[in-house]
Amino acid sequence: MTLKTLFCTAALLAGLTSTAHAAYTIEHVTVIEGTGAAARADMTVVVDGERIARVTPSAVAGAPQGQVIDGRGKYLMPGLMDVHIHLAGWKWDARHDGPPVIDHAAAEAALAGYLYDGFTTVVDVGNLPENSLYERGLERAGKIPSPRIFATGNLITYPGSHGDAMAIRISDFEKDKALLDRHIAEQQPDILKLTYDEEGWGARPMITLMPPALLHQIIQYYNEHGIRTTVHVSNERRSLEAIYAGADTLAHPVIQGPVSDSFVRLMAAKKIPFATTLTIGENYSRLAEHPEFLDEPDYVATFSSAERAEMRTHTRAAWLARPWTWWMKLMTPICEENIRKIVAAGGVAALGTDQSSGPAGHREMELLVQAGLTPAQVIRIATHNGAVFLGKAEDMGSVEEGKLADLLLLNADPLKDIDNTKAIALVMKGGRIVDESTLPLAGGPARRRFPAR
Ligand SMILES: [Zn+2]
């Protein structure tokens, strides 16, 4: 079986139509692999079916395959990954006493926005299953334009704990095991999300915490089913306890105060991936103080004018008035420094926003640069490390032979300025070029960026 036949077979097994099997050769492009390897100029990358078939210097590339794309003056990097989102598409009813209201069109507009902004993978770590799992099903069936969706379904917590309102509540492992079995069988979580946070920070009162022994039992149970886990934590002590209870990843950095040197060394030694989530804390004061960011092109494209008007008026007024906004503003530089130290020591950060939009992912990258990381480090955090977080780095997250062809072709160098990740020439997901004109964006129809064949 030739390599080409092998890739075709893989594409067929993945449910893609055989007639749509296309090949592309991107010539004379600068490749930013995503793994932290130095950028390589004048490369040729061949995409065959849904995967990257070859990455070679153009000088030795041989005959092109399929459609030729001139990559001169352009930069090819992996598609972006946000490993901590909560997909839009539902809200509590106005009086908060009925069941939540599901809005598939809103979810699909948000998903289209991620793709438009260069995100080819999102990880939903806590949602109503009838929202996130419904859209995951459509995405995997190829029925909606969307990044790859990995989802936890319902998160799991202890009664009265953080996130309790949207969680499956487990108080005793043996007694509640059937709930876990049901969660695994019915929701097929790609990763389990647990919460482990007694709060008591900022203006929040203390709440109940899951006993660590129970945390350990649940993590082990999911691992025995082949499922990785991520744990919501916010301080150093609970992060440590979660790690030693077996957490595979942390859903947040430490944000309640500066981390100790021993914690930095431990994170580097363990290489536990953690989601960066600076944007969730910073977005309150950003809107309060700099609402003009809502006029930037990626916000105009991916939010409706009504949504932006609502943020500029009611949302902004509410956030200006509450202490939480200013607490998070105060803590953001502390959190940035915690992330910088752990990355500098060799720890594994993965881009996560704890938000629901593509532009938030680009803001996360800006904040990581503001934290003192280089654009090269940030690109690794936003691509390869996301795949590491998911346990899927063998399959995706880098521009390497055999990996899924989730790619971003840029018109400007993101190593010079991280905002050049917005200078998108084309987005490719699984070997298919996204046609922006077909995306149901909240900001209205977009122009196709890469001309059709
Ligand atoms: Zn979250």
Short mmCIF file of all heavy atoms in Angstrom, two decimals, residues 42-69:
data_model
loop_
_atom_site.label_atom_id
_atom_site.label_comp_id
_atom_site.label_asym_id
_atom_site.label_seq_id
_atom_site.Cartn_x
_atom_site.Cartn_y
_atom_site.Cartn_z
N ASP A 42 11.60 28.99 2.77
CA ASP A 42 11.58 28.32 1.47
C ASP A 42 11.34 26.81 1.56
O ASP A 42 12.12 26.00 1.09
CB ASP A 42 12.88 28.62 0.69
CG ASP A 42 12.68 28.39 -0.81
OD1 ASP A 42 11.53 28.11 -1.24
OD2 ASP A 42 13.67 28.47 -1.55
N MET A 43 10.24 26.46 2.19
CA MET A 43 9.85 25.06 2.33
C MET A 43 8.67 24.75 1.42
O MET A 43 7.93 25.66 0.99
CB MET A 43 9.43 24.78 3.78
CG MET A 43 10.53 25.00 4.81
SD MET A 43 11.88 23.82 4.67
CE MET A 43 11.10 22.34 5.36
N THR A 44 8.49 23.48 1.13
CA THR A 44 7.31 23.03 0.39
C THR A 44 6.55 22.02 1.24
O THR A 44 7.16 21.09 1.79
CB THR A 44 7.72 22.43 -0.97
OG1 THR A 44 8.19 23.49 -1.81
CG2 THR A 44 6.54 21.73 -1.64
N VAL A 45 5.26 22.26 1.38
CA VAL A 45 4.42 21.40 2.22
C VAL A 45 3.32 20.81 1.34
O VAL A 45 2.59 21.55 0.68
CB VAL A 45 3.81 22.20 3.39
CG1 VAL A 45 2.84 21.33 4.19
CG2 VAL A 45 4.92 22.75 4.29
N VAL A 46 3.24 19.49 1.32
CA VAL A 46 2.21 18.81 0.53
C VAL A 46 1.13 18.28 1.48
O VAL A 46 1.44 17.60 2.47
CB VAL A 46 2.81 17.64 -0.28
CG1 VAL A 46 1.71 16.88 -1.04
CG2 VAL A 46 3.86 18.16 -1.26
N VAL A 47 -0.11 18.63 1.18
CA VAL A 47 -1.26 18.13 1.93
C VAL A 47 -1.99 17.16 1.01
O VAL A 47 -2.31 17.50 -0.13
CB VAL A 47 -2.20 19.29 2.33
CG1 VAL A 47 -3.50 18.75 2.93
CG2 VAL A 47 -1.50 20.22 3.31
N ASP A 48 -2.20 15.93 1.49
CA ASP A 48 -2.89 14.93 0.68
C ASP A 48 -4.05 14.39 1.51
O ASP A 48 -3.83 13.80 2.57
CB ASP A 48 -1.91 13.82 0.31
CG ASP A 48 -2.52 12.84 -0.69
OD1 ASP A 48 -3.68 13.05 -1.11
OD2 ASP A 48 -1.85 11.86 -1.04
N GLY A 49 -5.27 14.62 1.05
CA GLY A 49 -6.42 14.24 1.87
C GLY A 49 -6.44 15.07 3.12
O GLY A 49 -6.21 16.27 3.09
N GLU A 50 -6.66 14.45 4.26
CA GLU A 50 -6.81 15.24 5.48
C GLU A 50 -5.50 15.46 6.23
O GLU A 50 -5.48 16.10 7.27
CB GLU A 50 -7.85 14.60 6.40
CG GLU A 50 -7.46 13.24 6.92
CD GLU A 50 -8.43 12.70 7.97
OE1 GLU A 50 -9.25 13.47 8.48
OE2 GLU A 50 -8.33 11.51 8.27
N ARG A 51 -4.39 14.91 5.67
CA ARG A 51 -3.13 15.00 6.41
C ARG A 51 -2.00 15.66 5.64
O ARG A 51 -2.06 15.81 4.43
CB ARG A 51 -2.70 13.59 6.85
CG ARG A 51 -3.61 13.08 7.93
CD ARG A 51 -3.20 11.74 8.49
NE ARG A 51 -4.22 11.32 9.44
CZ ARG A 51 -4.16 11.53 10.75
NH1 ARG A 51 -3.10 12.11 11.29
NH2 ARG A 51 -5.14 11.16 11.53
N ILE A 52 -0.96 16.03 6.39
CA ILE A 52 0.24 16.59 5.80
C ILE A 52 1.09 15.41 5.32
O ILE A 52 1.46 14.54 6.11
CB ILE A 52 1.02 17.43 6.84
CG1 ILE A 52 0.15 18.60 7.32
CG2 ILE A 52 2.35 17.90 6.27
CD1 ILE A 52 0.68 19.29 8.58
N ALA A 53 1.37 15.39 4.01
CA ALA A 53 2.10 14.25 3.45
C ALA A 53 3.61 14.50 3.46
O ALA A 53 4.39 13.58 3.70
CB ALA A 53 1.63 13.97 2.03
N ARG A 54 4.02 15.75 3.15
CA ARG A 54 5.46 16.03 3.08
C ARG A 54 5.76 17.44 3.53
O ARG A 54 4.99 18.37 3.27
CB ARG A 54 5.97 15.85 1.64
CG ARG A 54 6.10 14.40 1.19
CD ARG A 54 7.11 14.24 0.03
NE ARG A 54 6.88 15.15 -1.09
CZ ARG A 54 5.97 14.94 -2.05
NH1 ARG A 54 5.21 13.87 -2.01
NH2 ARG A 54 5.83 15.81 -3.02
N VAL A 55 6.90 17.59 4.19
CA VAL A 55 7.45 18.91 4.55
C VAL A 55 8.92 18.86 4.18
O VAL A 55 9.70 18.17 4.84
CB VAL A 55 7.29 19.20 6.06
CG1 VAL A 55 7.82 20.59 6.39
CG2 VAL A 55 5.83 19.07 6.50
N THR A 56 9.29 19.54 3.10
CA THR A 56 10.68 19.46 2.62
C THR A 56 11.15 20.82 2.15
O THR A 56 10.33 21.67 1.78
CB THR A 56 10.80 18.50 1.40
OG1 THR A 56 9.84 18.92 0.42
CG2 THR A 56 10.57 17.06 1.77
N PRO A 57 12.48 21.04 2.12
CA PRO A 57 12.98 22.26 1.49
C PRO A 57 12.52 22.29 0.03
O PRO A 57 12.50 21.24 -0.63
CB PRO A 57 14.50 22.11 1.58
CG PRO A 57 14.73 21.15 2.71
CD PRO A 57 13.56 20.20 2.69
N SER A 58 12.13 23.47 -0.45
CA SER A 58 11.61 23.57 -1.83
C SER A 58 12.62 23.05 -2.85
O SER A 58 12.23 22.47 -3.86
CB SER A 58 11.25 25.02 -2.15
OG SER A 58 10.19 25.43 -1.31
N ALA A 59 13.90 23.23 -2.57
CA ALA A 59 14.95 22.83 -3.50
C ALA A 59 14.90 21.33 -3.82
O ALA A 59 15.31 20.92 -4.90
CB ALA A 59 16.32 23.20 -2.94
N VAL A 60 14.39 20.52 -2.91
CA VAL A 60 14.38 19.06 -3.13
C VAL A 60 12.95 18.51 -3.14
O VAL A 60 12.73 17.32 -2.94
CB VAL A 60 15.22 18.32 -2.05
CG1 VAL A 60 16.68 18.74 -2.13
CG2 VAL A 60 14.68 18.56 -0.65
N ALA A 61 11.97 19.40 -3.41
CA ALA A 61 10.57 19.00 -3.23
C ALA A 61 10.04 18.07 -4.31
O ALA A 61 9.08 17.35 -4.10
CB ALA A 61 9.69 20.24 -3.14
N GLY A 62 10.60 18.08 -5.49
CA GLY A 62 10.06 17.24 -6.56
C GLY A 62 8.78 17.81 -7.13
O GLY A 62 8.43 18.97 -6.87
N ALA A 63 8.06 16.99 -7.90
CA ALA A 63 6.86 17.48 -8.59
C ALA A 63 5.75 17.78 -7.59
O ALA A 63 5.55 17.02 -6.65
CB ALA A 63 6.39 16.44 -9.59
N PRO A 64 5.04 18.91 -7.80
CA PRO A 64 3.93 19.23 -6.88
C PRO A 64 2.75 18.28 -7.07
O PRO A 64 2.60 17.66 -8.11
CB PRO A 64 3.55 20.65 -7.29
CG PRO A 64 4.04 20.83 -8.68
CD PRO A 64 5.21 19.92 -8.85
N GLN A 65 1.93 18.20 -6.05
CA GLN A 65 0.72 17.36 -6.07
C GLN A 65 -0.49 18.28 -5.96
O GLN A 65 -0.49 19.18 -5.12
CB GLN A 65 0.74 16.47 -4.83
CG GLN A 65 0.85 14.97 -5.09
CD GLN A 65 0.88 14.23 -3.78
OE1 GLN A 65 1.91 14.21 -3.11
NE2 GLN A 65 -0.24 13.63 -3.40
N GLY A 66 -1.51 18.04 -6.74
CA GLY A 66 -2.76 18.79 -6.62
C GLY A 66 -2.58 20.27 -6.92
O GLY A 66 -1.73 20.67 -7.72
N GLN A 67 -3.37 21.09 -6.23
CA GLN A 67 -3.35 22.53 -6.47
C GLN A 67 -2.10 23.15 -5.85
O GLN A 67 -1.77 22.88 -4.69
CB GLN A 67 -4.60 23.18 -5.85
CG GLN A 67 -4.71 24.67 -6.18
CD GLN A 67 -5.95 25.32 -5.59
OE1 GLN A 67 -6.82 24.66 -5.03
NE2 GLN A 67 -6.03 26.64 -5.72
N VAL A 68 -1.42 23.98 -6.62
CA VAL A 68 -0.22 24.65 -6.12
C VAL A 68 -0.60 25.99 -5.51
O VAL A 68 -1.36 26.76 -6.09
CB VAL A 68 0.81 24.85 -7.26
CG1 VAL A 68 1.99 25.67 -6.77
CG2 VAL A 68 1.28 23.49 -7.78
N ILE A 69 -0.10 26.22 -4.31
CA ILE A 69 -0.32 27.50 -3.63
C ILE A 69 1.03 28.17 -3.46
O ILE A 69 1.96 27.58 -2.91
CB ILE A 69 -0.99 27.27 -2.25
CG1 ILE A 69 -2.39 26.65 -2.44
CG2 ILE A 69 -1.07 28.58 -1.46
CD1 ILE A 69 -3.05 26.19 -1.15
#
